[in-house]
Amino acid sequence: MKPITAGSGIWAYEWNVFTTPSFPPTTPTINWFRGGDRVVDLYWTTTGAKSYTVKRSTSAGGPYAVLASNIKGNSFTDTSVVNGTTYYYVVTAVNEAGESTVSNEINIKPSATKYTGGLLDGVALKVGATFNNQTSTVMEFTDNNGNTVKYIGNNIAWYTFSAPKDINAVIAKWYDSYKVKMEFYDANNTLIGSHTPTTNDGVESLPNTLQNVSSVVLKPITAGSGIWAYEWNVFGKNHDVLPGAPLNLTAVGGDKTVSLTWSSMNTATSYKVKRSTTAGGPYTEIATVNSATYASYSDTNVVNGTTYYYVVTAVNAAGESPNSNEASATPNGSIVTQPTQDTDRALLRIMLNNGEEKEYDLSMKEVNAFLAWYEGRASGTGAVMFAIDKHNNNKGPFKNRKDYMIYDKIITFEVNAYTASSTNPNTDSKP
């Protein structure tokens, strides 16, 4: 443990480290949210939890239904909403020791307004004294709320797109006499156009479409007067390339849950998860995963015994990809009876979250030891790793070789039992 500033010394009450948490995590706080056109965005404070769960109700104070679980980040986009309906949200934090109490409740009514449908919907704008010298962020200018004013002092606000845009219209709502102007820059940060709106709180077409805009900037019309604004957006055309369809979607059913994983894509900024109870669809969008790095989702709004069919699409500023492959699963709360004949054998096949498959030819005693470890970890007890002996697949001058399975890396596994012959070697099929 060190002081955050070298040489400042440490004033502390207590310190410890844990292999497994002994208490549930601290309760998160929802610190920003917005309601757009058939969408609600939520952001909350991180508390060092293993994951977060979002719950929703249409009544203040609940009861809340689980909307999404196993969320690894601190944000969630709910696309299963209806415009004009008020929704109430809470968030909980989860670790191996349990679940926190619910966060503060927020309520929001999604709606389509003159501020939605633009290129700045729900984005975080950079703030600073000069362009490209960021000191903070502001989200209130792009939250589809034209009733709340935000002051950012003697600063400007800007946003840089991931790919150039063609911009043909703008909207801004400013407070009182604090008029604003807009500037538009190309990829080299060269000013290619500016516009001073004459209409407060109204969509205004530009005299000419500005092409290949990489950054848009909001400034006070009088330098140094500061920005008091309610809302800002720009409208136009994307130059981004649509992402391809996500690959390798898999679905695994559990007790009142279906776990989905797919291959992440660096061309996506988010993914849409869609579900049907009929093979081939039609599918209903149930969630948005708000990051290209989190290529997984747990659907807890399912009924045991019902087969569900899923597809996933990738999204970026250019739009939405075609559907992924379809994956199906049937959640089931029944307990699987383990084989007990130690003289028999089985092929243990394990699928990892990086897409790799492992297959081992083991005695039933070894398989049962693996199953007992896995069930223990699922209940929050036992080691995080399990060693599997590679047996005769022991290439090199080693006494033995073992693979170490990490619980969180395992997506699914299967046990294929068989009766061993007297000549059957103890081998490992795949390294």
Side-chain angles (χ1 to χ4, degrees):
M1 183 167 68
K2 292 183 177 181
I4 195 168
T5 304
S8 65
I10 298 177
W11 290 76
Y13 291 91
E14 197 74 15
W15 180 40
N16 210 335
V17 296
F18 302 89
T19 56
T20 300
S22 53
F23 290 93
T26 304
T27 303
T29 299
I30 300 176
N31 55 6
W32 192 81
F33 55 94
R34 69 175 285 269
D37 182 11
R38 293 169 296 176
V39 64
V40 170
D41 291 321
L42 302 174
Y43 291 79
W44 55 86
T45 57
T46 57
T47 64
K50 182 178 181 181
S51 65
Y52 298 91
T53 300
V54 175
K55 303 179 182 183
R56 187 183 73 184
S57 176
T58 52
S59 302
Y64 306 104
V66 173
L67 187 61
S69 59
N70 198 32
I71 301 171
K72 303 300 184 182
N74 68 326
S75 64
F76 179 75
T77 297
D78 182 8
T79 54
S80 62
V81 293
V82 177
N83 286 349
T85 299
T86 300
Y87 296 91
Y88 300 83
Y89 295 87
V90 293
V91 177
T92 60
V94 180
N95 64 15
E96 290 85 348
E99 185 176 14
S100 73
T101 56
V102 298
S103 70
N104 57 309
E105 180 190 75
I106 64 97
N107 68 84
I108 187 71
K109 182 188 294 184
S111 63
T113 71
K114 55 190 172 184
Y115 301 114
T116 57
L119 301 174
L120 301 179
D121 281 3
V123 303
L125 303 177
K126 297 179 179 179
V127 173
T130 57
F131 177 46
N132 274 343
N133 290 299
Q134 179 186 0
T135 57
S136 62
T137 59
V138 61
M139 302 182 78
E140 286 81 356
F141 293 170
T142 56
D143 64 358
N144 193 32
N145 182 356
N147 298 315
T148 301
V149 67
K150 175 72 174 180
Y151 176 59
I152 61 171
N154 295 326
N155 292 302
I156 63 174
W158 69 91
Y159 187 77
T160 300
F161 301 110
S162 59
K165 317 292 180 186
D166 294 344
I167 296 177
N168 53 32
V170 299
I171 186 173
K173 182 180 180 181
W174 58 87
Y175 173 71
D176 199 31
S177 60
Y178 292 87
K179 295 187 67 176
V180 297
K181 66 178 181 180
M182 304 171 201
E183 293 181 346
F184 308 89
Y185 292 81
D186 65 13
N188 297 318
N189 292 333
T190 300
L191 181 66
I192 58 176
S194 63
H195 180 74
T196 301
T198 58
T199 304
N200 191 1
D201 193 25
V203 177
E204 195 168 286
S205 297
L206 299 179
N208 298 292
T209 298
L210 291 172
Q211 297 183 337
N212 297 313
V213 175
S214 288
S215 297
V216 290
V217 180
L218 186 69
K219 292 185 172 182
I221 196 170
T222 304
S225 65
I227 296 179
W228 290 80
Y230 295 85
E231 199 72 13
W232 177 39
N233 215 333
V234 299
F235 304 89
K237 177 184 176 183
N238 290 306
H239 282 204
D240 302 80
V241 177
L242 275 173
L247 301 175
N248 304 318
L249 175 65
T250 63
V252 178
D255 184 11
K256 299 179 183 178
T257 184
V258 174
S259 298
L260 303 174
T261 59
W262 57 91
S263 299
S264 62
M265 305 170 61
N266 57 15
T267 57
T269 56
S270 63
Y271 301 97
K272 292 184 178 181
V273 180
K274 303 179 182 182
R275 185 183 72 190
S276 177
T277 52
T278 304
Y283 306 101
T284 299
E285 186 176 327
I286 60 172
T288 293
V289 178
N290 249 342
S291 172
T293 60
Y294 298 134
S296 62
Y297 178 76
S298 293
D299 183 10
T300 54
N301 188 24
V302 294
V303 177
N304 284 346
T306 299
T307 300
Y308 296 91
Y309 302 85
Y310 297 87
V311 293
V312 173
T313 59
V315 179
N316 65 15
E320 184 178 359
S321 76
N323 290 340
S324 68
N325 61 293
E326 182 184 75
S328 64
T330 305
N332 193 329
S334 63
I335 299 175
V336 177
T337 302
Q338 301 175 10
T340 57
Q341 299 182 39
D342 291 344
T343 57
D344 279 353
R345 303 186 61 78
L347 292 178
L348 173 62
R349 180 173 171 267
I350 302 174
M351 174 72 75
L352 303 178
N353 62 2
N354 62 0
E356 186 178 3
E357 289 186 26
K358 297 278 190 176
E359 187 175 277
Y360 305 91
D361 187 351
L362 303 173
S363 69
M364 193 55 68
K365 181 177 180 180
E366 292 172 299
V367 172
N368 286 339
F370 170 82
L371 296 176
W373 165 78
Y374 189 88
E375 291 183 358
R377 280 308 313 159
S379 302
T381 62
V384 297
M385 293 188 298
F386 183 85
I388 298 179
D389 198 323
K390 296 171 75 71
H391 293 296
N392 288 353
N393 189 20
N394 183 18
K395 311 302 182 184
F398 311 114
K399 291 183 177 180
N400 61 66
R401 294 179 70 194
K402 295 182 179 181
D403 275 354
Y404 286 85
M405 294 292 133
I406 299 175
Y407 174 78
D408 289 343
K409 304 298 183 183
I410 298 174
I411 298 175
T412 185
F413 61 85
E414 64 181 25
V415 177
N416 299 296
Y418 68 93
T419 300
S421 66
S422 59
T423 59
N424 185 72
N426 198 341
T427 60
D428 181 348
S429 301
K430 293 184 180 180

